[in-house]
Amino acid sequence: MAEEIYFRPYLSEDAPDFKALNVEWLKMYFEVEPYDELILGNPQREILDNGGSIFMMLKEEKTIGTFAFLKKEDGLYEFSKMAVTPKERGKGYGNSIMQFAIRYAEQHYWKSLILYSNTILENSIHLYSKYGFLEVPIDPGINYARGNIKMELKLNS
């Protein structure tokens, strides 16, 4: 399966897909929060201009998924905004995203990746755990009302 998909860096023309993939996913499980609107409506300013990255996952030249790295500080990035189009879910693409994301982070010598999620997303939590993310204390005042778990993956140690 891995050979039929590939990842490429975000281009400005990906903005509608980046937002639509995430909004669809959020509406299925939660609601679109003001912080989501800020990030998804301004990915260049809110993610890329701050040292982060966005990747698009393509299959047969069509975008089927996305994820982002939000820079928190040197060597520390938040893995965020992962979404896969509904008809492609359940096909193992989450594994492909995690493998690509971790390899990318290691190649850039980052110290760790963090992420925020919600414990109702059992499949997601299982996926993150499978790749070595461990639950850590959650920060007070995080940006997401839905976030009730923080996980971290230490890299290059």
Side-chain angles (χ1 to χ4, degrees), residues 9-157:
Y10 171 92
L11 303 169
S12 57
E13 57 263 29
D14 292 319
D17 284 342
F18 177 68
K19 184 171 185 176
L21 281 162
N22 275 282
V23 166
E24 183 280 327
W25 179 88
L26 285 167
K27 285 182 174 176
M28 178 183 293
Y29 292 100
F30 304 103
E31 62 184 34
V32 179
E33 298 179 28
Y35 186 65
D36 296 312
E37 285 289 351
L38 176 68
I39 298 281
L40 297 173
N42 306 282
Q44 180 68 46
R45 184 184 73 212
E46 297 297 323
I47 299 173
L48 303 174
D49 291 350
N50 291 324
S53 306
I54 303 170
F55 288 92
M56 307 306 286
M57 180 171 60
L58 288 89
K59 176 180 175 181
E60 298 166 1
E61 304 304 315
K62 287 184 52 110
T63 297
I64 63 162
T66 188
F67 72 91
F69 291 119
L70 284 64
K71 185 175 183 179
K72 295 301 184 183
E73 58 188 58
D74 283 345
L76 174 64
Y77 288 76
E78 179 184 342
F79 177 79
S80 186
K81 302 302 175 218
M82 179 173 74
V84 176
T85 191
K87 69 182 181 75
E88 298 293 347
R89 290 186 192 142
K91 297 181 179 179
Y93 293 128
N95 285 294
S96 300
I97 290 172
M98 292 308 302
Q99 291 163 10
F100 179 89
I102 292 167
R103 189 167 56 245
Y104 183 89
E106 289 173 341
Q107 288 169 346
H108 288 80
Y109 301 101
W110 295 347
K111 294 183 200 82
S112 64
L113 289 174
I114 58 169
L115 62 83
Y116 299 93
S117 191
N118 187 292
T119 49
I120 67 164
L121 302 172
E122 293 178 10
N123 290 346
S124 297
I125 302 300
H126 175 77
L127 177 71
Y128 304 141
S129 298
K130 176 176 155 180
Y131 285 95
F133 281 84
L134 300 173
E135 186 173 355
V136 295
I138 199 159
D139 334 26
I142 66 164
N143 291 319
Y144 305 104
R146 66 182 172 272
N148 70 356
I149 185 172
K150 178 180 179 181
M151 300 180 83
E152 181 175 22
L153 175 65
K154 299 265 189 207
L155 302 161
N156 301 305
S157 48

